[in-house]
Amino acid sequence: MDVKTLYTLVAVADRGSFAEAGKAIGLTLSAVSMQMRALEEELGTVLFDRTRRPPVLTPSGLRLIDGARDLIAHWESLSDSLKRDVSGGVLKLGAVHTSVSGWLPLALRRLQKQGQGIEIRLTTGLTHELEMEVFHGQLDVALVTEPEMTRGELQFHAFFEEPMVVIAHKTAVGRTDKELLENNPYVRFNRMARVGRMVTAEMDRRGLEVQSAMEIDSVEGVIAMVANGLGVSVVPNRGVANEFPATIRTLPFGDPPLMRRLGLLMPRDNPRAHLSYALLEALQDVCKPRMRKSA
């Protein structure tokens, strides 16, 4: 086993496929495949499940990755001239729709400025959809509302709590959240979304009776309808600049307000865990000013 082979192994883990690893380190697909076959023969173990496309690391492969990173770090510490970038890689990221126009762009911009070298492949969806994609290895990590139940193979790392607010046009009738919701048409956020179910459950608990006028699957769409006087709604207050138009007023939903907990959901055995944790750290950093303001 030589250091070049370890670089290749780490590149495969970080990039997600033999082909992408080859592009990153300047090897052909066949050269990467031959190196990995030779490494498996040398160690006497199967490192990749080749029944899947692209091949994925086996439990033995996952255990080897951490050791490989440590060995590379020791090797590189011997001479600056030997250093290569092994911090970057491809991160297959899922995110709930509400985060894409909230905290996520700020965190990705921070990663970019830090020169992390992480290539993001982003897909959006509902929390329960993204959870299944992380569970089946289709995503490395997902930014989601805290799941109702977390599978043992997955771990949830919370980074922020967002208060839920009632939003209404300035001309809407009502002084309290209850009056606004019961005396105006209700613009419902997607009831299949975790946050939508949270709001419905809280309304049921409080005995609130609303008259649903429409249902929309994006927070931006809900806000636009309310801003034009078509009803009232309940949405997360994400704390981003210029989130609500000047025609909208807000009230806390409940006392204390209902809170939505956001976090990153990732596998416990994750060959790109270092990339996921870099994203988590960036999310925590961009949320700090809002957390201090709320304290």
Side-chain angles (χ1 to χ4, degrees), residues 17-20 22-23 27-34:
S17 73
F18 288 8
E20 293 295 328
K23 291 177 184 178
L27 293 177
T28 64
L29 172 60
S30 60
V32 173
S33 182
M34 288 176 61

Side-chain angles (χ1 to χ4, degrees), residues 60-75:
S60 296
L62 289 168
R63 287 194 295 270
L64 181 59
I65 286 296
D66 289 338
R69 294 190 197 280
D70 290 341
L71 286 172
I72 287 172
H74 288 305
W75 174 260

Side-chain angles (χ1 to χ4, degrees), residues 187-205:
V187 181
R188 186 183 299 276
F189 180 61
N190 190 340
R191 72 185 72 200
M192 293 299 295
R194 170 72 179 121
V195 67
R197 296 202 304 274
M198 286 173 55
V199 170
T200 299
E202 180 64 9
M203 286 183 175
D204 291 342
R205 187 189 70 80

Side-chain angles (χ1 to χ4, degrees), residues 77-210:
S77 68
L78 297 176
S79 172
D80 289 341
S81 64
L82 296 174
K83 288 186 178 178
R84 303 185 189 184
D85 182 11
V86 295
S87 63
V90 174
L91 186 67
K92 292 177 288 185
L93 168 66
V96 290
H97 302 284
T98 52
S99 69
V100 176
S101 55
W103 297 113
L104 183 58
L106 302 177
L108 295 181
R109 185 180 179 187
R110 179 174 288 263
L111 285 179
Q112 187 181 62
K113 287 183 175 180
Q114 291 172 348
Q116 293 281 355
I118 302 176
E119 179 183 337
I120 301 294
R121 295 182 182 173
L122 176 65
T123 185
T124 58
L126 301 177
T127 289
H128 68 276
E129 296 170 340
L130 298 173
E131 179 183 358
M132 291 304 297
E133 292 185 41
V134 174
F135 179 72
H136 289 296
Q138 297 165 311
L139 292 173
D140 299 314
V141 62
L143 197 169
V144 295
T145 302
E146 184 173 18
E148 295 164 328
M149 295 180 62
T150 304
R151 299 171 183 269
E153 298 89 343
L154 305 179
Q155 51 188 340
F156 179 78
H157 298 273
F159 65 85
F160 191 64
E161 286 189 335
E162 295 175 335
M164 303 299 294
V165 293
V166 175
I167 58 173
H169 192 271
K170 288 185 174 181
T171 61
V173 176
R175 294 177 300 173
T176 66
D177 63 341
K178 183 178 188 298
E179 290 176 355
L180 284 170
L181 290 167
E182 293 190 330
N183 295 313
N184 296 278
Y186 182 61
V187 181
R188 186 183 299 276
F189 180 61
N190 190 340
R191 72 185 72 200
M192 293 299 295
R194 170 72 179 121
V195 67
R197 296 202 304 274
M198 286 173 55
V199 170
T200 299
E202 180 64 9
M203 286 183 175
D204 291 342
R205 187 189 70 80
R206 292 178 57 186
L208 299 178
E209 297 182 2
V210 299

